[in-house]
Amino acid sequence: MNWSAQMIAADKDFNGAPLFRKQVSVSRDHGAATEATLKVSALGVVEPWINGERVSEDLLTPGWSSYEWRLRYATYDVLHLIEPTTVIGLALGNGWYRGRLGWSGESAIYGSELATIAQLDLTFADGTTQTIITDDTWTAGPSATTANDLYDGQTIDAHLYSDAWLQPEFPGDGWSGVHRLDFERDMLTPYTSPPVRRWQSLKPQSITTSPSGKTLVDFGQNLVGWIRVQVKGPAGTTVTIRHAEVLEHGELGVRPLRTALATDSYLLSGNDDIFEPTFTFHGFRYAEITGWPGELDAESLLAVAISSDLRATGTFHTSNSLLNKFHDNVIWGMRGNFVDVPTDCPQRDERLGWTGDIAAFAPTAAFLYDVEAFLAEWLKNLAAEQSHHDGIIAYVIPDVLKYIGVPAVISPVESTAVWSDAGVWVPWALYQAYGNPEILAAQFDSMSAHVRHVESLLSPTGLWDTGFQFGDWLDPDAPPENPAKAKADTGVVATACAYRSASLVAQAASILGKDAERKEFTALAGRLRAAFNEHYVDQGRVLSDCTTVYALAIVFGLLDRADQDAAGNRLAQLVEQAQYRISTGFAGTPFITDALTITGHLEDAYKLLLEEGCPSWLYPVTMGATTVWERWDSMLPDGTINLGQMTSFNHYALGAVADWLHRVVGGISALAPGYAELLIAPQPGGGLTDVETSLETRHGRVAVHWFISGDNLKVQTDIPEGVGAILRLPGQSDQPLKPGRTTTTVLTHAFA
C-alpha cells in the first residue's frame, strides 16, 4: 500500500506504555463514508481504539518479526466505528521490540524508543477520499499501566485509568507532544499469518494455602496467557499474582523461571476493578496471590489462554486414556508455544524461536492445525536472517542471539544439524501437508543456500563431522548440566541430516522445474550417503551404536536393504534392552517409532510408546502433566524439579511422535502432497481396541475409525469427493476406497 503516515514516538516515555491520540472531523460534504480502513503497526505492541471501542480482539500486534528488515502491519475495517467527530487512540507496550529477550537480562535489544504508525483511509459515497495519518500533530500521554514486560509481567494502577482520552474534547492534562522517527516505510509488510487472540478461558479448580501460608490457585491446566481479575477493595491496596507451571514441596515452583518474574500487580481504585494484563503473558498452571482484600472467591479469577488464531484440523482419540491425555498435552503445548512465533517455551527468560524444535514438530503441527500461513511467516524471517548471515540459519528465529550471545555450552552460531535444517524440513512439511508448491518456490533460495553452506563445512571425508553440534540434544542419558553430551556421535547425526536436507532440496528443485539444481543436490546427496556408509556403517552397525543413529539412518533411507534389516534388528534390541524406556533426544525422538515400524518391529514401537516408567512419553502424564515437557524427567518421580537450569514443563518438541500416531496408529497418510491422494493404513497394536482419527485437508474431511470386536477388525473410512484413496490393512492386499463412507471388516488373526 501507499503509506503517507509517519512513525511517531512520544516526547516522554510514560512508563513504557504511552497512549497516542488524534481527534479528527470526518468530511460531511461527500455523502456517508462507504469504506474505512485502518492500518496500524508499532515498534512495540499496539492496541488501536476508535471512539472508545477496541478496534479488534487481536493481541500483541504487530507480533515479533526480524525487526531489522521486516515490520508487519495489521489492517482493519472500521467503518462501523466512524463518527462525524472521530477519536483514534493507540495504546502501546514494550512487547518483543523493547522488552526483555533471552537470558541475558537485556531489554531494548531492537531499539530504545517505542513508536507507532497508523493510517485511516476513508472513502465517501461520491468517491472522495480522506486520509488521517500519524504525524507530529498527535499527542501522547500516560496510561494506567506503570510497568510491562513479556517476561516479568504487568503493573496496572486503577487510579490512573480513564477512558476520557478516547472521547471528544479531551483536555489532555499531563499529555505531551510527539516526534517523528527516521523510519524506512519499505520495511512495512502486511500480516499474512493469523493474529494472536484469546482461545480458551479456565476457572480455578482449587484454592489452597501452601505450607508457608501463601494462597495458591490451581487452574488445572498448564496454559499460556494471564489471569483476568475482578476485585473490589480499599483504594491503594496492591494485589500481586505470581505464576508458575508446577508446585514443589507444596509451594510455587519458580526456579525453572530463572530470572523471569512472571508477576502481575494491580493497585485498586476502591471501586469494582477489572484487570487484564494484555501487554504480557505467562506460562502457568498455578498462581500465588498476595494482598487480596478479604476472602478470595474463585469467581473473581479467570485464566485466559492466548495463541495465534489457528484453525483446528486434526483429531485423534483411542481406547487408552493415558495416550489420549498425552495427545491433549501435545495440543496444549503447541498452542501455548505458537504465540506469533514457534517458541521453545513460554514461561522462563527465553521464549525464543528455536529452529530445532519446529524442525522436529512441523509435521505434527501441520496435522493438528492449519499452520501454513503461520509457519510461512516465520520462514520469511528465517530467510531474512539467513540472507544477512552468509547463508547460516541461526539457532533461533528471529535471531536475538546475535545481540545477546549464546550460553557457554553452545558455540558461536554456525550451521548445525536439525536446527539449521529447519530451513529445509519446515517448508517441506508444509508442502506435504497442504500441497502448495508456492512455499517451496518462496523458500527455495533459503533451502539451497543452507545445503550449500553445509557442503562447505564437510570434511575431506565428505562427512559433516566438524564444528559444534547440538546432536541428540537432551538425550535422557546426558547429564542435566550438559544436554549436548548424548550417546549419538554428532558426526553421524549431522551427516544423516545433511543427506536428508540435500535429498529434499533435490526433490523441491524437481517440483519447481529447476533441473540444474536438481542434479546438483541429487549428486551431493549421493556423496553424503556414500560417505556415511563408508565411514559409519559396518554390516548394519552404525557408529556409536545407539537408538538415535539407527532411527535416523533407517528413516532417512541411508542404508541398503541388508544393512537396514540388520539396523532395524539392532534398534529393536536396544529398545528392548532399555526396557522400552526412551533413550533418544531431539534428533532421534521424532523418528524412532517410524524406524521400528519400517523394519518390522511394530510391537516394539507400541511398547516404547505406551511405556509409563521414566523416561517415556507417558511418564509425565502419570505425574499429572498437562503439556509436554522439555526433559523426559523435568519432574522427578519424587515430585521434585529436575536440577538442570534448563527445565520447562511446556515444550512441544518431544511431542513430535504424534505424527506417527496420526499416520500409523490412526492410519491417515498422504500418497500425494496435500492429501490429494490418500493412504489409509492403520496398524493396530499395543492393546488398543478403538482408534478414531480425522483430518480436514484442502480437499475435504478424511476420517478413520477402527475398532476390534471379537475376532474382527472393523475399519470405517470417510473419503472426500474427488480424492483417490487406498486401504492397506495388515495381511491384506491393497484395495481402492470410494468417496464417502466405507466399512471394511477383516479377521484379527490375519495380522496377529
Side-chain angles (χ1 to χ4, degrees), residues 386 389-393 413-416 420 447-458 464 521 524:
Q386 179 190 18
H389 197 185
D390 301 322
I392 297 171
I393 295 176
V413 176
E414 175 54 278
S415 289
T416 185
S420 299
M447 296 166 73
S448 56
H450 163 63
V451 175
R452 288 179 180 133
H453 184 73
V454 168
E455 184 179 13
S456 75
L457 301 176
L458 302 180
W464 191 8
F521 294 111
L524 174 59

Side-chain angles (χ1 to χ4, degrees), residues 464-483:
W464 191 8
D465 58 357
T466 60
F468 169 77
Q469 294 288 348
F470 287 98
D472 198 27
W473 184 256
L474 285 172
D475 176 334
D477 295 318
E481 70 280 2
N482 189 359

Side-chain angles (χ1 to χ4, degrees), residues 118-142:
Q119 184 163 315
L120 175 61
D121 291 310
L122 301 170
T123 302
F124 298 94
D126 66 356
T128 302
T129 61
Q130 180 182 1
T131 298
I132 297 99
I133 63 172
T134 46
D135 58 20
D136 54 14
T137 65
W138 286 54
T139 56

Side-chain angles (χ1 to χ4, degrees), residues 76-163:
Y76 303 109
D77 179 355
V78 294
L79 182 62
H80 61 293
L81 299 176
I82 301 301
E83 298 176 5
T85 298
T86 286
V87 178
I88 307 170
L90 303 173
L92 265 64
N94 289 314
W96 294 275
Y97 183 81
R98 204 180 74 160
R100 289 180 60 193
L101 287 175
W103 45 77
S104 69
E106 295 181 45
S107 57
I109 288 171
Y110 291 104
S112 60
E113 213 168 9
L114 297 177
T116 186
I117 186 169
Q119 184 163 315
L120 175 61
D121 291 310
L122 301 170
T123 302
F124 298 94
D126 66 356
T128 302
T129 61
Q130 180 182 1
T131 298
I132 297 99
I133 63 172
T134 46
D135 58 20
D136 54 14
T137 65
W138 286 54
T139 56
S143 69
T145 293
T146 59
N148 72 99
D149 185 86
L150 297 180
Y151 292 4
D152 292 337
Q154 187 168 345
T155 300
I156 302 174
D157 186 344
H159 290 97
L160 303 178
Y161 177 76
S162 170
D163 63 358

Side-chain angles (χ1 to χ4, degrees), residues 27 29 80 101 139 169 173 181 189 208 241 351 391 417 458 526 549 581 599 602 609 656:
S27 176
D29 301 331
H80 61 293
L101 287 175
T139 56
E169 311 308 327
D173 296 337
L181 293 190
T189 184
T208 58
I241 304 180
R351 314 186 195 188
L458 302 180
V549 296
R581 297 190 178 185
T599 55
L602 179 66
L609 171 72

Side-chain angles (χ1 to χ4, degrees), residues 389-412:
H389 197 185
D390 301 322
I392 297 171
I393 295 176
Y395 302 155
V396 300
I397 301 294
D399 182 18
V400 297
L401 300 187
K402 61 180 180 282
Y403 299 120
I404 69 173
V406 297
V409 71
I410 300 173
S411 295

